[in-house]
Amino acid sequence: MGIKDEYERARTYIRDEFSIKKATGQLFVFETTIRFVGGLLILFGLTGEQFYKTKAQGIANALLPAFETPSGIAKSLVNPVTKTSINYNWAQSGSSILAEFGDSFYEYLIKSYLLTNKTDSQAIRMHKEASDAIQKQ
C-alpha cells in the first residue's frame, strides 16, 4: 500500500507519546474499547511488539471504573483521569446500553481466539454458536 512512512510515524507516536492519561474528558467506553483497545491488540497480533499490548492494557485498565456497577455491565462514559463513569443523559435511570455490551462481547470472542494463536477454543466455539444462531434467523 506504500504507507510505510505513515505507519512508522504512528508506531513511534503510540510507543513514545500516546497515553490515555492525556485524555481531557469523558471517553465513550464502547468506542474506546473497539477502536483503541481493539486496534492496539490487532497491531500486537500482527507485529508481536509488546508495547502495543501494554498500551492496550493501560487503556483497558482506565476503562475499568465504568464496569463498577451492580451488574458488571459498563456505564457508557468514563473519565480516565478522575476515574469516574456515567451513563448518557437519556440512560441515567441506572440502565446500561446492552447493545454496546453485546456487540463488544462478540467482537472480542474472535479477537481472543486470534490473539491466543487460535488456542482459545471456548472463544471460537461461542463465536461460532452465536454466528450460526444469527444465520438461522
Side-chain angles (χ1 to χ4, degrees):
M1 291 177 59
I3 57 171
K4 289 180 182 179
D5 292 339
E6 291 86 347
Y7 168 76
E8 284 301 323
R9 281 196 308 273
R11 179 186 173 278
T12 300
Y13 173 79
I14 292 167
R15 186 191 64 217
D16 300 340
E17 302 293 329
F18 177 81
S19 171
I20 198 66
K21 294 176 183 175
K22 292 180 182 178
T24 59
Q26 299 288 336
L27 300 176
F28 296 96
V29 174
F30 175 71
E31 293 297 328
T32 303
T33 301
I34 65 172
R35 309 271 185 248
F36 285 80
V37 177
L40 290 166
L41 289 176
I42 293 297
L43 286 165
F44 169 68
L46 290 171
T47 68
E49 293 187 273
Q50 188 67 35
F51 75 89
Y52 287 124
K53 185 177 176 183
T54 302
K55 295 285 185 171
Q57 184 67 52
I59 296 167
N61 288 341
L63 297 176
L64 286 177
F67 292 88
E68 294 171 3
T69 64
S71 67
I73 297 173
K75 291 184 179 178
S76 302
L77 302 163
V78 67
N79 184 314
V81 176
T82 63
K83 297 179 175 30
T84 57
S85 62
I86 60 171
N87 271 328
Y88 300 115
N89 287 336
W90 50 268
Q92 288 296 324
S93 65
S95 302
S96 292
I97 312 305
L98 290 178
E100 291 180 350
F101 174 73
D103 186 47
S104 183
F105 174 73
Y106 291 108
E107 183 175 327
Y108 276 92
L109 286 175
I110 194 68
K111 285 181 181 176
S112 175
Y113 175 68
L114 294 173
L115 287 173
T116 60
N117 293 320
K118 301 182 181 179
T119 61
D120 188 344
S121 59
Q122 181 180 8
I124 195 63
R125 179 184 48 77
M126 291 172 70
H127 186 272
K128 183 170 177 14
E129 287 171 359
S131 296
D132 290 347
I134 291 168
Q135 295 294 325
K136 291 177 184 177
Q137 295 286 328

